[in-house]
Amino acid sequence: MTTVLTPAAPAPPSTSPGRARRLARRVASPWTYAALIAILAGSAFPVYWSFVVSSQTTEAVGKVPPVLVPGGHLFENIARVFDETDFALALGNSLIVAGTITVSVVLFSTLAGFAFAKMRFRGRTALLLVVVATQAIPTELGVVPLYMMMADFGWAGQLQAVIVPGLVTAFGVFFMRQYFERALPLELLEAGRMDGCGSLRLFWHVALPAARPAAAVLGLFTFMQAWNDFFWPLVVLVPENPTVQTALSTLASGYTTDYTLVLTAATIGTVPVLIVFLLFGRQIVGGIMQGALKG
């Protein structure tokens, strides 16, 4: 019996980390780094400028050329912010509102996205179109009836009036639905069903772990939107129960605007968002990169 020897298949090219870094250095030119540094500087300068002004006196704001070095009045200005308005209450209210809305939007959007992407039921496409179509309705059109509802519930002036309307968003549902369509294979769900898992167990043990990168991205966007929301809290809340944005509006609404005081409060209000990004930045960047590679 004759044995036929076939030539071995060529080995795949090496993809070691060192080779990947060498390839990246070949692709990235000095102009690329210069452009990235310029974009980074332009993005970070407003935050830096707010910090510089918040550490200066009021007279330093109008100097020409402008002052670009931090001064020594930061803690004095912070104390003035808390003396002028109940900024501690505003920070607490914003944390409650933004945290509750973020958890709720991520949970409900993940549930709805999983249902729209991987479950078959009558009217699924029509219902998804209705959800997506709500994004085309301007928020201002619903302010009057929504305020009337909050007043009928007895929630006007309370945090429930800000939290409840934002517990789920059409963007979050559509975002998670698109992610599940690409990231969760049907074979994995079928294997779970063969093991005796119901729909809720499939969601909790299979879909939710797979959705963590997208949920991190959605959570950051939702937290930032809820934290920076100004219009609806201004309408439905009273000045005695403010969020950070309405407190900033109060500080800036005097006969003359003390920009040092306003920018000090804005700097304080930026800190929680930066902390959230530092805590969850790895998951957020991983989710964005995973979506880019899959797309």
Side-chain angles (χ1 to χ4, degrees):
M1 180 175 181
T2 304
T3 303
V4 179
L5 298 177
T6 58
S14 174
T15 56
S16 62
R19 187 171 184 271
R21 285 193 293 268
R22 289 194 297 270
L23 290 175
R25 282 196 291 267
R26 292 178 188 174
V27 174
S29 65
W31 291 107
T32 303
Y33 288 109
L36 291 175
I37 292 172
I39 294 172
L40 176 62
S43 302
F45 182 76
V47 178
Y48 176 74
W49 173 248
S50 297
F51 174 74
V52 169
V53 174
S54 64
S55 64
Q56 299 285 349
T57 60
T58 305
E59 293 77 14
V61 177
K63 285 186 177 180
V64 179
V67 179
L68 297 177
V69 179
H73 300 274
L74 177 62
F75 296 103
E76 175 187 339
N77 292 331
I78 291 176
R80 288 176 57 210
V81 168
F82 286 94
D83 289 338
E84 291 288 334
T85 184
D86 197 348
F87 208 72
L89 177 63
L91 285 171
N93 286 344
S94 287
L95 284 173
I96 293 172
V97 170
T100 305
I101 289 177
T102 298
V103 173
S104 173
V105 166
V106 170
L107 177 61
F108 289 134
S109 297
T110 306
L111 274 167
F114 173 69
F116 280 123
K118 300 301 178 181
M119 299 183 71
R120 299 294 181 263
F121 54 90
R122 183 175 299 177
R124 183 184 67 158
T125 303
L127 186 57
L128 179 62
L129 289 176
V130 171
V131 171
V132 174
T134 59
Q135 298 185 85
I137 302 174
T139 305
E140 291 77 6
L141 292 180
V143 169
V144 174
L146 188 58
Y147 183 85
M148 294 174 63
M149 290 177 59
M150 297 300 107
D152 291 340
F153 293 156
W155 292 350
Q158 302 180 25
L159 294 184
Q160 299 96 305
V162 181
I163 294 173
V164 172
L167 289 179
V168 66
T169 63
F171 170 77
V173 173
F174 183 74
F175 178 79
M176 296 306 299
R177 185 258 182 191
Q178 294 299 103
Y179 183 84
F180 279 127
E181 282 282 356
R182 296 180 299 171
L184 190 61
L186 287 174
E187 292 79 5
L188 191 60
L189 297 177
E190 293 298 331
R193 289 192 178 94
M194 291 179 64
D195 289 338
C197 291
S199 297
L200 286 179
R201 288 188 64 188
L202 279 176
F203 170 77
W204 188 258
H205 294 289
V206 179
L208 195 58
R212 284 178 183 173
V217 176
L218 179 62
L220 176 66
F221 289 162
T222 304
F223 185 88
M224 292 178 60
Q225 190 276 331
W227 184 269
N228 295 325
D229 190 16
F230 170 70
F231 180 67
W232 178 240
L234 181 67
V235 171
V236 78
L237 294 180
V238 293
E240 294 77 20
N241 193 28
T243 60
V244 167
Q245 307 307 322
T246 55
L248 287 173
S249 175
T250 302
L251 288 174
S253 62
Y255 183 75
T256 58
T257 302
D258 189 341
Y259 291 103
T260 299
L261 200 64
V262 173
L263 288 177
T264 301
T267 301
I268 299 172
T270 306
V271 171
V273 179
L274 296 178
I275 292 175
V276 169
F277 185 81
L278 290 175
L279 291 177
F280 302 102
R282 179 175 299 179
Q283 291 86 348
I284 294 165
V285 174
I288 294 174
M289 293 302 298
Q290 182 173 346
L293 292 175
K294 287 178 179 295

